[in-house]
Amino acid sequence: MSRSIGINTGKTRERTSASDESVLAHLREIVGAEHVVVDPEKVEPYAQDAVKEKFPPEAVLFPRTALEIAEILKLANEARFPVTARGGGVGYSGGAVPIEGGVVIGTDRMNEIKEINADDLNVVTEPGVRTYALQQAVEAIGLFYPPDPASYKESFIGGNIAENAGGIRSAKYGVTKHYVLGLEVVTPTGEIIRTGGRTSKNVVGFDLTGLICGSEGMLGIITEATLRLLPLPEATRTVRATFRTMREACACVARFSRARVTPVAIEVLDRNSIAAVESQYAFGLAKDAGALLLVSVDGSAEEVGRASRVVEEILREGGGYDLVRAATKEDEDRLWDVRRALSPAIKKFGTLKFNEDVVVPRSRVPELIEQVEEIGRRHETFVVNFGHAGDGNIHVNFMCDRENREAVRQAREAVRETFAVAIELGGTISGEHGIGYVKAPYLDMAIDAPTVETMKRIKRALDPNGILNPGKMFV
Ligand SMILES: Cc1cc2nc3c(=O)[nH]c(=O)nc-3n(C[C@H](O)[C@H](O)[C@H](O)COP(=O)(O)OP(=O)(O)OC[C@H]3O[C@@H](n4cnc5c(N)ncnc54)[C@H](O)[C@@H]3O)c2cc1C
């Protein structure tokens, strides 16, 4: 069977279906028959990610080695069927979803942490290791892997690198790409390449490691990663405060820096977020609160003591009230429960959530939120804003009823206007979730035409047949 597909480089080519018996037989030879899944019921979970739209693959393959992946990609180029890599499948932009069919490569079996080098502060890992498992393994010997997307218990290291994931610790420690020293990657045409190395300094050749980080599974499949580690901080402490306005809360962020304190996390919740968690879970938060800040510091016990006192002072002077400082790990967890309760709490406001993650320079967060609230009012769409005040990355959630076409249309328009506002304020349309297929129609709002064309040229050079993760990023 053969049909025509549009490829994300803009070309159209004939392809063979990956479910053709001869193709399937070849795939079974490569990875072993037991690691090729075609039963529609078993394939179903691989049809979607956190966006929850379904595009079933023709087959799901679970290779064990880079060599097997190289063979799959060579075959895909000969027979012209799409291949999409998948990690934990909790992406928020549809990156791991095979929207043009073909095969999904599940990296679940590539789940070995190969070495932890305590003296050199690095870890060599396969891509299918869960973020949390890697964090636990290194923390057990006093080391620290800072990138921590909230999805850390489900996401894989390969997915984190492909999305350049951030998280609540980004305010101090940066994002995934700041920890990737080297990669083994299978290119879309099936060559196995090595980028970077094991040293923190390395300027030999083009920075291909940087190119692959955040490439959303479109330029190669990561089969091994060497990641930078830090010594595990001795202590952490969290302080929570409520404020009358978002402006008051956000003004504290710059004051921390002026007082030479760099919190690990500065998370902000807006009025609607507070009302949502309070009405459902009764944390005892002030009902009149316009904003809430959660601020964590880390370091030696002595540093943490000083820094948390400075944080408290700044929060109080900045108009913060109902201050709570965690004295124990359990108290700290309880403070963070408010943040964790958000996702389930806002579900009651609609059956469909447009979960955006715009980013602006952190001093512009209050303006962003004021304008987003205005957009929500104009489109009669309930909006909940919360996120990473420390790096200006705000989760804007427009809620609507999936069955109400007019409400969905209004919410989509609200999303587009929010992107325009973020860009206008000096930011962009995604800080951590990536583009995938979901935000592809908006790419040209954020990036000019010559730059998009340069990206397409890189894609075409590495993937001349457009077989790796087609339909993403570029419309
Ligand atoms: C509740 C929730 C909270 C979240 N919180 C955060 C957050 O705080 N910060 C954040 O950054 N994101 C967050 N996300 C988004 C998401 O979890 C991250 O993007 C994460 O990095 C995805 O990892 P994954 O393993 O699930 O990747 P997948 O969804 O499986 O794949 C994502 C992309 O990576 C590609 N890919 C996967 N494995 C490989 C590989 N080995 N080689 C090449 N490409 C590959 C896929 O093709 C796809 O394009 C959240 C998601 C949810 C559902």
Side-chain angles (χ1 to χ4, degrees), residues 123 131 134-136 138-139 143-149 157 160-161 165 169 173 175-180 227-232:
V123 53
T131 318
L134 187 107
Q135 286 172 345
Q136 294 284 297
V138 302
E139 284 178 23
L143 298 171
F144 183 38
Y145 178 67
D148 63 333
I157 289 295
N160 290 171
I161 297 170
R169 295 199 283 237
Y173 291 107
V175 296
T176 300
K177 73 174 177 190
H178 298 122
Y179 296 86
V180 184
L227 305 171
R228 187 164 79 92
L229 301 173
L230 299 176
L232 183 65

Side-chain angles (χ1 to χ4, degrees), residues 28 45 74 85 303 388 407 422 464:
R28 288 188 181 107
K74 282 180 187 154
E303 283 163 349
H388 318 304

Side-chain angles (χ1 to χ4, degrees), residues 443-455:
L443 188 74
D444 63 359
M445 288 176 76
I447 305 183
D448 61 39
T451 312
V452 171
E453 185 48 38
T454 303
M455 291 183 186

